[in-house]
Amino acid sequence: MTTSTQSAARIRLAPTTAAERRVAKALALEPGGPPTLQARIANRVIRTLMKSAWQYGPDSEAGLVRIQRATDVMGRFQAVPRGVAIDQEDLGSCTGEWVRAGAPDPGKVLLYLHGGGYFFGSPRLYRPFNWRLSASTRRAVLALDYRLAPRNTPADALADALNAYDHLLRQGYAAHDIVVGGDSAGGHLTLALLLALKEREQAAPGAAFCLSPWVDLLCQSESHQLNRHSDALIPAGKLSWLGREYCRDKEENDPLFSPLRGDLTGLPPILFIASGSEILRDDTREVAERARAAGVRAVYQEWDGLVHVFPVFADFMPEGKAAFRHIAEFLRAAGA
């Protein structure tokens, strides 16, 4: 891209319609302010419909499968705007979904690892998120449909993520032109992937971002108790039970189960985003602090009073839309 074209790409035309002004106002939001009215309403709806469904379900494989099936049904109704391209990719042990919106740079790519506690979620469910991610970062997004519990384990999901990363390298993408991102369990998987690449002495991606990562599957940080009532999406007791199940018979210092215990030196620039009212707030804070202490270029954003992984709910709250701008700006600043 020439210098004149780059300059033109940065030009933001003044909004002229009411809809454009609303979008511009949303994109301008910064962390630190009170939640918008739309966000407060969304919090209540999510608490009623989603947190309650998990809170009052059984602690068993049958309970996990029930939620998994319900979210699979939700995924069938996820739509994208006209012009967004969706293509499937067979990766061997699992599949992926390419999402291309706007005018993505053909030389750059984003590997996205969805959340869902390692037992639910899919690229189809995340289509409204992934098209925004592609459009804002100007990258094709490969959304990984990694294997899920209860049939599989987080270790299987990590194997799938490593395979997907290798697949991108085989497709001709340079490591520094790859970005890896994820939310919640996918944020945990993002960090586990970075540590696994380091252990394999393999080139790291150009940058990464983690949205409310479930950093410690043992759920030992204080915010799991302090924010158990203010978190609008995750029932703290259920997540703790799930983490104990995943970590059963594992070594306590295994970095797969807690990247906090891993050596973070040498990791690429990482953006961390969390809500001040969610139970994973301290997990995100601590891993960002440990990354900075290890010499990693780490940025931490904390937004007040929002639901867990609020960017996923961008259709319903302005702060979610603003998060995509912050992600894109971070990647540009990181040179990724």
Side-chain angles (χ1 to χ4, degrees):
M1 183 182 287
T2 65
T3 302
S4 59
T5 305
Q6 289 174 332
S7 300
R10 298 192 189 101
I11 295 175
R12 297 180 179 177
L13 300 177
T16 56
T17 67
E20 289 174 345
R21 286 191 291 272
R22 285 195 298 271
V23 171
K25 184 178 180 181
L27 293 177
L29 290 171
E30 299 284 342
T36 61
L37 174 61
Q38 298 98 310
R40 295 197 299 272
I41 293 172
N43 283 355
R44 292 183 180 181
V45 173
I46 291 167
R47 179 186 297 275
T48 301
L49 298 181
M50 301 179 71
K51 183 175 184 177
S52 296
W54 190 3
Q55 178 73 61
Y56 299 109
D59 290 344
S60 65
E61 289 190 5
L64 300 183
V65 171
R66 183 184 303 174
I67 295 174
Q68 190 177 97
R69 289 174 177 170
T71 53
D72 285 347
V73 171
M74 290 173 58
R76 298 174 190 171
F77 297 94
Q78 303 305 310
V80 297
R82 183 178 299 177
V84 174
I86 305 288
D87 298 290
Q88 303 303 314
E89 183 85 8
D90 185 356
L91 298 169
S93 62
C94 68
T95 62
E97 182 174 275
W98 285 102
V99 180
R100 296 177 175 89
D105 185 331
K108 296 182 180 292
V109 68
L110 198 157
L111 174 62
Y112 195 75
L113 310 172
H114 68 77
Y118 281 115
F119 74 94
F120 74 90
S122 66
R124 189 179 184 94
L125 183 66
Y126 272 66
R127 280 181 183 177
F129 175 89
N130 286 327
W131 81 257
R132 291 181 185 276
L133 191 58
S134 175
S136 60
T137 64
R138 296 191 65 246
R139 294 170 181 263
V141 172
L142 177 59
L144 188 63
D145 199 10
Y146 58 84
R147 288 171 288 174
L148 299 173
R151 289 187 175 182
N152 298 284
T153 68
D156 296 322
L158 176 57
D160 291 342
L162 284 165
N163 181 44
Y165 188 82
D166 289 341
H167 175 79
L168 293 176
L169 295 176
R170 290 193 297 269
Q171 292 295 308
Y173 291 102
H176 60 79
D177 288 327
I178 301 173
V179 167
V180 180
D183 65 283
S184 198
H188 174 276
L189 184 55
T190 296
L191 293 169
L193 172 61
L194 297 179
L195 290 171
L197 291 172
K198 178 183 173 181
E199 184 178 353
R200 286 170 29 166
E201 298 183 350
Q202 193 168 347
F209 63 92
C210 297
L211 310 177
S212 305
W214 184 18
V215 175
D216 182 4
L217 300 190
L218 295 175
C219 301
Q220 295 176 330
S221 66
E222 289 187 359
S223 58
H224 283 268
Q225 295 302 318
L226 296 176
N227 290 348
R228 63 186 301 115
H229 298 299
S230 59
D231 193 307
L233 180 57
I234 304 178
K238 294 290 186 179
L239 193 69
S240 179
W241 167 79
L242 189 61
R244 290 194 302 272
E245 290 296 305
Y246 291 152
C247 295
R248 183 183 297 173
D249 302 325
K250 304 301 182 197
E251 294 292 334
E252 188 172 330
N253 62 350
D254 188 336
L256 171 61
F257 295 94
S258 179
L260 278 173
R261 301 184 182 94
D263 179 7
L264 304 181
T265 57
L267 297 190
I270 310 175
L271 171 65
F272 296 94
I273 298 179
S275 167
S277 59
E278 66 171 312
I279 62 174
L280 296 181
R281 179 198 63 198
D282 290 355
D283 297 59
T284 313
R285 280 182 184 174
E286 186 175 353
V287 73
E289 291 170 358
R290 289 202 62 240
R292 283 195 291 264
V296 177
R297 183 178 176 183
V299 174
Y300 173 67
Q301 286 189 0
E302 186 172 302
W303 296 69
D304 295 333
L306 300 181
V307 69
H308 171 64
V309 294
F310 64 92
V312 173
F313 301 98
D315 284 344
F316 310 104
M317 58 184 71
E319 293 91 339
K321 296 180 179 66
F324 290 97
R325 174 179 67 83
H326 288 279
I327 292 169
E329 289 178 350
F330 172 80
L331 296 183
R332 285 196 295 270

